[in-house]
Structure formats: structure tokens, C-alpha cells
Amino acid sequence: MNVPGGVIVLDFGGQYTQLIARRIREQEVFSAILPCSASIDEIEGLRPAGVVLSGGPSSVYDKGAPVCDSRVLGLGLPVLGICYGMQWMAHSLGGNVVKAEHREYGPATLDRERDSTLFRGLPEHLKVWNSHGDHVIGLPAGFETVGRTDNAVAAIEDPSRRLYGVEFHPEVLHTERGSEILRNFVFEVCRAEKNWSRASFISDTVGAIRQQVGDAQALCALSGGVDSTVAAVLVHRAIGDRLTNVFVDTGLLRRNEFQDTLELLRDRLHLKVDGVDASERFLARLHGVTDPEEKRKRIGAEFIAVFAGEAKRLALSSGSDMRFLVQGTLYPDVIESVSVKGPSAVIKTHHNVGGLPKDLPFQLIEPLRDLFKDEVRMIGRELGLPDEILLKHPFPGPGLAVRLLGEVTKDKLEVLRAADAIVVEEIRRAGLYGKVWQAFAVLLPVRSVGVMGDYRSYGYTIAVRVVTSEDAMTADWARLPWDVLERISTRVVNEVRDVTRVVYDVSSKPPSTIEWE
Ligand code: XMP
């Protein structure tokens, strides 16, 4: 999606690139991220009000250091370079960038030497957040120093060309009044108009989908999670029941999840949903498999087979043009494939429907691909989605199969479902469900000895995993109150057949991951 008059962020592979776009959208101005390799035509074609050059891990002198087409500095558009973005801008325009004797990481004080539109309304001394090794020592012609930190030229400008640079990161919360610096860039320098709000996002997106789909039909693989549901509701607004959703029971869902989700989607959200019970197929495919990656691969392949079969059946029965596939892809899913850093190492094969066979000639509709999860939640709220969906914890595509270590069997799934239901119920009862990122049970493939009613017992071990996180990239184990852990443990051992022991997982991510497989 594009909204003209927004601010484009060109990504040099920085850690905080996503935050820059977010902070701009918080000012109700559209912002999208493009890789720094985007062509000048593509950038101009978006008709932006300005451009931000992100930070990045490289030095401008590194072999293969990321670069933009330097014509971006001559389009007459305002440009703000942040950290590496400022260094690249200075370097490209003939300034001098060097390795700093003292690298600056963390807090520093910016002392301003002259007035600048970028800092309008802000005090002369500001706490700012740095993360750089190189810095600019010689300014390109036409530039002035606006401010310094102890060790570096920290802000520069050429107001006549509307080119600005800051060595620190205004987008992170540790920079005092950083949002106001970005706001000054957006409104005072770029003169952007407010053009992005939840309501305008919804109406623009619905309009664009309507135009894209025309009279054709669309299909959506719905999981009942926040992303796919918000995407489906947006498309449904645009084309009504020409959207058919497919919701697959893999047999790996949590207790009552298939029925409850179907009811909610159909009765409360009025979506047309084709519920497919494929549990036997999935279990058969998993028979005898213990390797986690093999499980994931088989589940992914089976999912695609079921979905493709449904798509063909629905296309035939509707007799019309089923040409579009809706996906709830978010920005963090997109960036791995386009980032200048290249795709990161595969830790786990996350499964989605991206690997559909070529003979299903779908065009993709991905209305959320510029957004972050919390922005999707806000859009969902604006669309009137209930909290049951908006606040739902993430659930992996391969479902309980990656929380049941070893071979997946019906019996073990029943044990895990029962234990998981207790964990979630107790977390809710303690008022913690909305405060933690995920809370679930894991069934371990080891048995241990217990004593129950004077008899020796020998049963499964359940691990309880509860984590806090911002974005699932890093996570910490939740410091649950002892009494909550005690209730979970007592109930699981008493109520779930065949379980003799409950343990609490106290590993953070990294080095562990959130799921066990
Ligand atoms: P890990 O275990 O890698 O998980 O720390 C990070 C987040 O991703 C979820 N997850 C998945 N989601 N398909 C998904 O849609 C998957 O295959 C998958 N594996 C993990 C996990 O629940 C956590 O929120």
C-alpha cells in the first residue's frame, strides 16, 4: 500500500528501522520502508513528502557496504540521515567520515550550537542515544554543524537543500524528546499533512482491495489468530461474501479451539468460513516422526495439500474466478527477505501458506504488510473485533505438535490439551493473560516416578512455559507469583491423567526459543 505525501524510510539494515516508520505513523503521517537498494523511480513513484535514511551496522568503507542511489539526495525532497544514514549522506556529498577513536554506545548529551528547524521548540541540551563506531569529521559543502556530543559531530544540516543528519537515534525512547525531532522533520521540514489514521488506513485499504479484486473471488487461510482475522475482516469489508475463508482443524489445536473459533468467526464476525476437519490426515502424516524439523515440514506440506484441495474444490463449486489469496503477512515477516542483511539463519522453519504449489495461480492480497503486531491490534479494534481475538496469544502454525516432544499421538495430545487448558485458565484467573506474551504447557517425552494415594505412579512430565516479550525476537520467563505456579502444578497433577510432575521453564530467549521445538 502507498499513501502519497508520506515519508519513505530507506533501510540500511539498522536495528531500529522499523521503529522510525512507526514513530512517523504515530504522527498520523504515512510511512513505509523500502530497502536502500530501491530504484529512484520506485522512490519518486511513491510521491513522498520526504525521505529518512536509516542506521545500519556497516561502515561506509566496508566492502559491500549498503548504498542508496545517491540521486535521492538531489530530488529536492527533504532527507534526514540517521547514524549510518548521516554518515552515508556526508560521505556521498564529499564529507569526511572516519572510524572514531571513542565509539559511542548508549547515552550522551547533545549540545546545540545553532538553531535548526529540526530542533525547534527543544532545549539546548538533550539526552540522546547513540550506537555508532564511525563519525563525520568533515562536512560536505553547504552543511553546518548544529550540535555535538562529547565525542562527535551529532547533528548537521544544509537547510537550503533541506538535508539533515543526526548521529544519534531519535526513534528510540531513550532519546529525550526524540519523537519531537522526528515530528519537526515530518511537519516543519517536509511540510507533510496528516494522512494516516486507523480510520483512513481502513478506508484506503478497503478501497484498494475492491479495486484489485474487481468481480473476482478471494480465498483466505484463516487461523483465528489476530493477523489472519484482521486481514480477512478487511477483505470482507471490501468484497463481502466473495471472500471464502478456510479454517483447517489439524488435530493439533488447543481444547475446543476449532469449534469456538468457527463460531466466533461465523456468528460474531459474519465471515463465510469453510471449516475443514483434516485431523486424521495430519496425525497419519506425523506417525512415527520425532525430529522437530521433520514434523514442521510434514505439517507444512499437509497444510498446503489440504488448502490447495479446498481451493480447487471451492473454485469449481463457485464456478467463478477464484484468483486472489489473502494472507495476514506483517512487516516483520517481510523484512527478512528484503533486508540488506539478507535472510537470517534458519532457526526454525515457520510455516505459513507461502509455499503453495505453482498450479494454484493466486495473486496475493496482504493488507497488513507494512504494519507491526500492535498496529494490527489497533486496526482490529477500530474494526470492532472482540478482545478474544485481539488479545489472543500467538499460537504457532504447527500447533501442539511443537509442544509435544517426540512422536505425536492422539493420547499424548489429549494429555497436553488438558494440561494446557489448566495453565491458560489459571493465568487468566490471576489476571495475567494480558500481561504476558504467551503461556502454555509442553509435554516432555520422559516419564518420572511419583507417589499418589500411597501407590507408586510413573507418568509424564509437563513443563509450563510463560514468557514476557515485546516482539518474540527476545523473551524472558515470566516471574509468576508462587501461588499461581502452585495452583497450576496441583491442578495439572490432580486433574490430568498420567502426569506425575510439573516443572517451570526458566530460560530466556536467546539462548532458548519460546517454543520447545
Ligand atoms: P520461537 O519458538 O522461535 O517463537 O522463539 C517465536 C514466536 O513465533 C511463534 N512460532 C510460530 N508461529 N508458525 C507460526 O506461525 C510457526 O511455525 C512458529 N513457530 C514459532 C511462537 O509461538 C512465538 O510466538
Side-chain angles (χ1 to χ4, degrees):
M1 192 178 86
N2 175 48
V3 180
V7 175
I8 299 301
V9 182
L10 294 178
D11 180 25
F12 284 115
Q15 247 180 302
Y16 308 121
T17 306
Q18 316 178 356
L19 266 181
I20 304 172
R22 264 270 309 259
R23 296 275 175 262
I24 296 170
R25 290 202 290 263
E26 281 168 7
Q27 321 275 354
E28 299 182 39
V29 172
F30 176 75
S31 180
I33 300 171
L34 292 180
C36 60
S37 54
S39 74
I40 234 26
D41 289 346
E42 189 178 356
I43 297 166
E44 271 197 298
L46 296 176
R47 290 192 282 134
V51 174
V52 176
L53 308 174
S54 85
S58 307
S59 156
V60 289
Y61 297 113
D62 285 348
K63 211 168 140 224
V67 292
C68 290
D69 186 326
S70 56
R71 285 175 292 176
V72 77
L73 302 172
L75 291 175
L77 286 171
V79 178
L80 171 64
I82 294 177
C83 195
Y84 177 86
M86 159 168 155
Q87 293 157 16
W88 175 81
M89 178 163 71
H91 179 66
S92 312
L93 294 173
N96 194 6
V97 178
V98 293
K99 266 229 162 338
E101 231 168 81
H102 301 279
R103 296 188 304 173
E104 281 191 310
Y105 289 107
T109 301
L110 169 75
D111 300 311
R112 253 182 318 120
E113 296 175 357
R114 56 181 263 148
D115 284 339
S116 162
T117 314
L118 205 56
F119 295 90
R120 188 168 289 166
L122 296 175
E124 246 171 70
H125 308 286
L126 275 177
K127 282 252 165 315
V128 296
W129 184 263
N130 282 303
S131 177
H132 64 100
D134 290 3
H135 65 171
V136 176
I137 56 162
L139 302 191
F143 275 78
E144 301 276 356
T145 299
V146 174
R148 296 171 194 271
T149 49
D150 277 349
N151 296 314
V153 171
I156 59 174
E157 68 173 13
D158 176 351
S160 65
R161 284 189 284 173
R162 297 193 295 174
L163 302 178
Y164 296 80
V166 289
E167 194 56 79
F168 58 89
H169 290 272
E171 68 276 22
V172 306
L173 290 176
H174 301 292
T175 290
E176 209 172 60
R177 304 181 72 169
S179 281
E180 288 171 66
I181 299 172
L182 288 172
R183 185 195 310 207
N184 280 339
F185 178 69
V186 169
F187 294 116
E188 304 295 329
V189 178
C190 299
R191 303 252 158 225
E193 309 242 334
K194 290 192 177 185
N195 62 359
W196 205 91
S197 64
R198 288 170 223 169
S200 72
F201 171 82
I202 293 171
S203 63
D204 289 351
T205 306
V206 165
I209 296 170
R210 221 171 255 156
Q211 208 170 21
Q212 188 185 357
V213 178
D215 296 330
Q217 307 250 346
L219 204 60
C220 174
L222 200 50
S223 69
V226 185
D227 312 338
S228 63
T229 309
V230 170
V233 169
L234 274 171
V235 177
H236 186 249
R237 278 220 177 165
I239 64 168
D241 281 351
R242 281 186 289 124
L243 169 70
T244 306
N245 300 281
V246 178
F247 178 36
V248 180
D249 185 356
T250 55
L252 306 167
L253 299 176
R254 289 162 292 191
R255 184 178 269 178
N256 301 333
E257 191 165 14
F258 188 60
Q259 240 9 74
D260 289 355
T261 309
L262 262 186
E263 264 171 42
L264 194 151
L265 297 171
R266 284 177 179 159
D267 301 344
R268 288 174 54 194
L269 300 181
H270 311 292
L271 296 174
K272 189 162 103 188
V273 189
D274 175 25
V276 185
D277 179 2
S279 46
E280 294 298 335
R281 287 177 60 166
F282 277 88
L283 282 182
R285 192 92 178 232
L286 288 171
H287 182 72
V289 182
T290 54
D291 177 66
E293 274 301 288
E294 186 60 28
K295 281 188 197 173
R296 282 173 176 273
K297 279 193 192 120
R298 290 192 183 209
I299 293 166
E302 193 58 30
F303 190 87
I304 286 164
V306 170
F307 187 77
E310 277 308 290
K312 280 197 176 135
R313 191 183 67 73
L314 289 165
L316 281 179
S317 70
S318 73
S320 72
D321 190 3
M322 183 77 77
R323 212 177 335 137
F324 294 93
L325 180 68
V326 180
Q327 292 200 141
T329 318
L330 304 191
Y331 178 73
D333 311 327
V334 178
I335 192 66
E336 274 200 1
S337 55
V338 299
S339 168
V340 290
K341 288 180 289 188
S344 53
V346 175
I347 308 293
K348 298 174 186 180
T349 320
H350 280 212
H351 106 67
N352 55 32
V353 292
L356 283 172
K358 298 261 180 300
D359 65 336
L360 282 176
F362 282 118
Q363 289 173 44
L364 288 182
I365 301 177
E366 297 178 309
L368 310 175
R369 57 181 287 134
D370 288 325
L371 306 186
F372 296 95
K373 195 147 204 120
D374 59 335
E375 292 178 308
V376 172
R377 288 201 167 110
M378 287 190 262
I379 298 293
R381 197 167 294 289
E382 186 83 18
L383 286 165
L385 264 58
D387 278 354
E388 280 147 273
I389 288 193
L390 294 179
L391 303 181
K392 203 170 179 180
H393 289 170
F395 186 61
L400 297 181
V402 291
R403 295 179 178 174
L404 192 161
L405 278 57
E407 187 188 358
V408 178
T409 64
K410 256 191 188 161
D411 281 353
K412 286 194 207 159
L413 279 169
E414 272 317 304
V415 172
L416 178 54
R417 267 192 200 106
D420 186 71
I422 292 171
V423 172
V424 175
E425 204 176 298
E426 290 300 332
I427 291 289
R428 280 190 192 280
R429 192 174 288 169
L432 296 171
Y433 187 85
K435 299 198 172 119
V436 299
W437 177 264
Q438 274 172 298
F440 56 88
V442 179
L443 179 74
L444 305 189
V446 286
R447 287 180 177 256
S448 72
V449 175
V451 48
M452 284 178 171
D454 296 337
Y455 285 101
R456 176 185 193 272
S457 58
Y458 188 52
Y460 291 116
T461 304
I462 286 288
V464 177
R465 182 77 164 140
V466 186
V467 296
T468 53
S469 178
E470 291 285 318
D471 52 12
M473 300 299 289
T474 59
D476 198 5
W477 56 279
R479 272 54 173 177
L480 291 184
W482 293 126
D483 58 323
V484 176
L485 279 172
E486 183 181 7
R487 268 198 303 277
I488 290 174
S489 154
T490 310
R491 282 194 58 198
V492 170
V493 176
N494 285 339
E495 295 174 32
V496 185
R497 174 181 55 87
D498 275 350
V499 175
T500 39
R501 196 172 293 270
V502 175
V503 297
Y504 190 51
D505 182 351
V506 290
S507 335
S508 59
K509 173 183 179 176
S512 300
T513 54
I514 296 177
E515 304 290 345
W516 275 48
E517 283 194 337

